[in-house]
Amino acid sequence: MSVVFDFFKYIIDLGVSVMMPIIITILGVIFGRKLSVSFKAGLTVGIGFIGINVMAGVMMNAITPVTKALVERYNFSLTATDIGWGIGSSIAWGTPVVPFVFIAIIVTNVLMLMFNLTKTMDVDIWNYWQPLFIASALYLTTGSMILAVASAVINMAIIFKLADMTQKDVSDVLGLEGISLPALQTTGWAVLGYPMNWLLDRIPGINKINWTTENVQKRLGIFGEPMMMGLVIGGLLAAVAGMPLSDILTTAVSIAASLVLIPRMVSLLMDGLIVISEAAQEFMEKRFEGREIYIGLDAALGIGHPFVLSLGLLMIPITLVLAFILPGNKTLPLADLTALPFYMIFAILPSKGNLFRGVITGIFIATITLYISGIAAPIMTGLAADIGYQIPGEATEITSLAVGTQWYSWIVYYLLSLLS
């Protein structure tokens, strides 16, 4: 097993822009495409991911100083510092549960596909860190490898089903044909997003408010276009943070560029993925008549739509305010504020892009995330200490909004911990 794990770890350590072309090429050959066709599709996907990462980096580099300035200017004083999903993922990949949980997730997916319990074939190996984190937390607190593995199997079985159920909207609204999003911190919120949209549909007056990208663009003209929305949102955030004029202008242009270029990079990536998606469909039809297969990929594809990015940016100041006013909250949101578009996809997708409903649902998501992040802080701090991570001097505890967004996996955590 260690040889298998070492091989996968080597591939994962290469990074998503190298890992995904290798995976896509292998899948293409398995599904009957020529090596040259599969390799070209894989390389296209890799280039698309590089483009997305570059533009996401531009957006995060522009917005991170703004979030820090907002925190400093409005004197947020909370005890659990959000150090970001990057540290959370490195903690998850550094614990003893990794090889066992890794294999268990793959076996779970394969068995569910074989018995027609899911249509999602999850190739988003990097984001296995999400169930790995909860499994690591269980192992830390109970010492049981069996419970740790069981948590990953349960959490991923649920997310595969949710990915199936939401795929139609992912395809129709986000334009990701044949793609599903099996990410705990993203699609897990569909459980809240769809009921909230159903409820808002039945409230007189509220059900008439429809701030879609198209409606906003129609009413605002040029100022409703993605680039102008990014310019205005980025500039306003920087201005509210009290930044100098030069920084306000730089932030505004950088966010505008992100809202224009990220969707184009997603489109490039989809050019490669469609080859594998079609090959998978043909492969399954030959062996299982009538079966449909979705390719499970990173939620980065979902943030390519302008209304998702816009909502994520709008939620930055809202989340900061919530952190300050929510009674009993101890989470200081910081590093993961720039990742809010990932967490807000299913705040706005159920309403087909209604920004008003997205903000309402987003407030609920942000509230739950802040509280869960605070509850998870002692566990994340303990895991970090176990792998030798140095806690920042100004932080009493460390946490991550990403860990807080994995909401239902914490229910699984507490239920299984009762069995220890």
Side-chain angles (χ1 to χ4, degrees):
M1 181 175 291
S2 62
V3 174
V4 174
F5 171 67
D6 288 344
F7 170 75
F8 278 109
K9 189 175 187 303
Y10 173 77
I11 298 297
I12 291 165
D13 288 345
L14 293 174
V16 68
S17 59
V18 177
M19 178 184 74
M20 287 310 299
I22 294 172
I23 292 174
I24 294 298
T25 300
I26 293 172
L27 287 175
V29 173
I30 291 173
F31 292 144
R33 290 293 188 262
K34 293 181 179 178
L35 177 60
S36 58
V37 173
S38 301
F39 179 74
K40 182 179 178 182
L43 186 59
T44 303
V45 168
I47 292 170
F49 267 115
I50 288 174
I52 291 172
N53 288 336
V54 168
M55 290 315 304
V58 169
M59 181 178 70
M60 290 180 181
N61 288 337
I63 210 70
T64 296
V66 176
T67 59
K68 288 183 178 179
L70 285 167
V71 169
E72 292 171 2
R73 186 176 193 188
Y74 296 101
N75 195 29
F76 290 97
S77 180
L78 300 162
T79 59
T81 303
D82 163 30
I83 61 172
W85 68 267
I87 302 299
S89 64
S90 65
I91 290 172
W93 282 107
T95 65
V97 308
V98 171
F100 304 99
V101 170
F102 189 88
I103 298 300
I105 293 172
I106 293 175
V107 170
T108 300
N109 194 202
V110 170
L111 289 176
M112 289 182 70
L113 284 166
M114 286 176 59
F115 290 101
N116 201 21
L117 297 174
T118 186
K119 297 178 181 179
T120 293
M121 180 174 63
D122 188 7
V123 299
D124 185 21
I125 294 173
W126 169 251
N127 277 320
Y128 283 10
W129 81 264
Q130 296 163 26
L132 273 169
F133 188 93
I134 299 299
S136 300
L138 260 173
Y139 186 69
L140 173 72
T141 54
T142 69
S144 171
M145 187 65 71
I146 293 174
L147 291 179
V149 171
S151 73
V153 170
I154 294 169
N155 288 327
M156 293 307 289
I158 293 171
I159 206 64
F160 292 149
K161 296 300 293 183
L162 288 175
D164 290 347
M165 294 165 63
T166 57
Q167 195 279 331
K168 188 177 188 302
D169 280 345
V170 169
S171 176
D172 294 347
V173 182
L174 299 180
L176 303 177
E177 186 177 350
I179 304 301
S180 65
L181 306 177
L184 294 177
Q185 60 193 26
T186 297
T187 306
W189 290 111
V191 175
L192 174 65
Y194 283 94
M196 281 291 298
N197 186 61
W198 180 90
L199 179 63
L200 293 171
D201 246 343
R202 283 153 182 79
I203 301 177
I206 296 295
N207 58 7
K208 302 297 182 184
I209 302 174
N210 189 21
W211 297 350
T212 63
T213 307
E214 293 77 10
N215 287 344
V216 170
Q217 187 167 340
K218 184 178 179 180
R219 290 177 179 274
L220 299 181
I222 187 174
F223 289 99
E225 295 179 4
M227 70 171 68
M228 297 303 296
M229 290 175 66
L231 191 76
V232 171
I233 292 171
L236 279 176
L237 284 174
V240 170
M243 302 184 77
L245 179 60
S246 59
D247 290 345
I248 293 173
L249 296 175
T250 300
T251 302
V253 174
S254 296
I255 300 303
S258 301
L259 262 65
V260 172
L261 295 178
I262 288 180
R264 295 187 183 181
M265 293 302 101
V266 171
S267 177
L268 175 63
L269 185 146
M270 286 300 299
D271 288 343
L273 288 176
I274 196 67
V275 175
I276 304 304
S277 180
E278 291 175 351
Q281 290 296 106
E282 294 173 11
F283 181 86
M284 295 305 295
E285 285 173 4
K286 289 178 182 177
R287 289 155 180 81
F288 305 96
E289 189 174 353
R291 286 287 304 275
E292 188 178 21
I293 291 293
Y294 310 138
I295 307 299
L297 288 170
D298 194 310
L301 296 178
I303 70 166
H305 201 291
F307 65 59
V308 176
L309 278 175
S310 298
L311 176 61
L313 292 169
L314 288 171
M315 287 304 301
I316 289 175
I318 293 173
T319 302
L320 283 167
V321 171
L322 287 172
F324 184 71
I325 65 174
L326 286 174
N329 172 58
K330 67 175 184 178
T331 299
L332 173 62
L334 192 61
D336 269 346
L337 285 171
T338 55
L340 283 174
F342 290 86
Y343 315 146
M344 294 296 159
I345 291 174
F346 282 94
I348 195 167
L349 189 58
S351 64
K352 310 297 189 289
N354 188 330
L355 280 169
F356 175 79
R357 295 190 186 187
V359 169
I360 299 299
T361 305
I363 289 171
F364 280 91
I365 291 175
T367 299
I368 295 169
T369 296
L370 286 168
Y371 279 128
I372 295 179
S373 299
I375 293 169
I379 297 170
M380 185 165 176
T381 305
L383 284 171
D386 274 3
I387 68 167
Y389 179 80
Q390 296 297 314
I391 309 299
E394 69 277 7
T396 305
E397 293 176 316
I398 60 170
T399 189
S400 162
L401 293 185
V403 169
T405 58
Q406 299 164 28
W407 71 273
Y408 76 76
S409 65
W410 287 102
I411 297 175
V412 174
Y413 166 85
Y414 282 108
L415 289 176
L416 289 179
S417 65
L418 296 174
L419 300 176
S420 62

